[in-house]
Amino acid sequence: MKLILLGAPGAGKGTVAKLLTKMDGSVQISTGDILRGAVAAGTELGKKAQAAMKAGDLVSDDLIMGIMEERLKEDDCKAGYLLDGFPRTIPQAEALKVLLEKMGEKLDFAVSIEVPTEVILDRLTTRRTCTGCGEIYNVKSNPPKVEGVCDKCGEPVVQREDETEEAINNRLSVYNEQTAPLIGFYENEGMLLKVDATSSDAVIDAIQAKLGK
Ligand code: ADP
Ligand code: ZN
């Protein structure tokens, strides 16, 4: 399957993407994970992205489109892909449309995962992320077996640098201003699936139902 996952930070895009990859071998492409990897590795890209990320601001559309143009050409994308955290602005969505046309690719649809703000805030402050493999934990509902250590890969599990209260508030307002308009964009394109759900399983069920049609 080839899907775009839309939703506020903390809506569960990453969790849903990971569940979907197990169904048909599609790959999860998270621009946030790619950028965090570049920051950790200290590459040129990482240096350009670091300050914006720490503040919870967006990285420039040009930088993101450069990353995605390369990423979508890789072999593993042939099995399908789940775009998690991209596109994030109207210019990115327009550029993606042009890029996919050029590549002769067609997306199935864009999923908007709608979760109440209180739930989002609670999740973001209790979320912890593995620095090795990106696995997501939650200190209340899904802690690692050993505190601070990833069950899957043994690397440290930490609170992200952009998960301070200030950065979280900024990420949410950036989402409302720049990313939420994509819901209307994909609705106009006739390719939107809206799901009101706080459980990832319910989101998966809605996606499967729509794919089955
Ligand atoms: P979130 O949990 O907020 O969805 P991500 O892991 O997707 O976070 O992204 C983390 C940060 O990486 C964002 O706050 C932003 O600085 C940067 N980023 C990720 N994807 C994009 C994108 N498509 N466009 C611009 N910036 C991005
Ligand atoms: Zn891990």
Side-chain angles (χ1 to χ4, degrees):
M1 61 188 114
K2 293 177 181 168
L3 302 179
I4 294 173
L5 300 174
L6 294 172
K13 300 183 294 292
T15 309
V16 166
K18 286 195 172 70
L19 292 169
L20 292 172
T21 58
K22 289 183 192 141
M23 286 166 40
D24 72 349
S26 305
V27 285
Q28 174 187 11
I29 304 180
S30 157
T31 41
D33 285 348
I34 294 172
L35 292 168
R36 276 185 292 279
V39 170
T43 63
E44 216 41 53
L45 169 66
K47 283 179 198 143
K48 285 185 189 149
Q50 196 161 23
M53 290 179 73
K54 187 170 177 184
D57 289 326
L58 294 184
V59 170
S60 81
D61 291 336
D62 285 350
L63 211 61
I64 295 290
M65 290 316 302
I67 295 172
M68 287 306 298
E69 195 156 337
E70 289 310 306
R71 184 64 188 86
L72 288 170
K73 283 183 196 151
E74 282 177 39
D75 264 355
D76 59 352
C77 291
K78 295 205 172 79
Y81 41 81
L82 309 155
L83 304 182
D84 162 15
F86 168 85
R88 201 104 145 198
T89 63
I90 294 281
Q92 288 179 21
E94 310 244 358
L96 175 64
K97 190 176 169 186
V98 173
L99 176 62
L100 292 174
E101 273 164 15
K102 204 168 74 185
M103 295 175 73
E105 298 261 319
K106 200 176 174 318
L107 297 175
D108 292 302
F109 47 86
V111 185
S112 170
I113 307 173
E114 321 246 330
V115 176
T117 311
E118 317 85 76
V119 177
I120 297 265
L121 280 172
D122 185 56
R123 276 189 193 165
L124 289 177
T125 48
T126 53
R127 178 154 92 173
R128 299 294 181 270
T129 307
C130 172
T131 51
C133 69
E135 185 73 9
I136 308 285
Y137 295 91
N138 184 288
V139 286
K140 286 198 228 157
S141 60
N142 174 34
K145 292 195 185 77
V146 178
E147 196 187 324
V149 181
C150 181
D151 296 346
K152 294 224 166 123
C153 75
E155 294 294 316
V157 171
V158 302
Q159 184 159 28
R160 270 166 42 179
E161 229 179 1
D162 61 358
E163 284 175 353
T164 61
E165 202 181 319
E166 198 187 352
I168 288 172
N169 285 328
N170 191 37
R171 280 161 64 208
L172 290 173
S173 54
V174 168
Y175 174 79
N176 288 327
E177 282 159 27
Q178 309 218 49
T179 309
L182 294 183
I183 296 170
F185 178 93
Y186 287 110
E187 197 159 37
N188 279 334
E189 299 276 307
M191 52 186 288
L192 186 72
L193 172 68
K194 227 180 212 189
V195 192
D196 276 296
T198 47
S199 108
S200 305
D201 289 338
V203 178
I204 300 287
D205 288 349
I207 292 171
Q208 276 185 308
K210 171 124 175 146
L211 283 170
K213 269 195 257 180

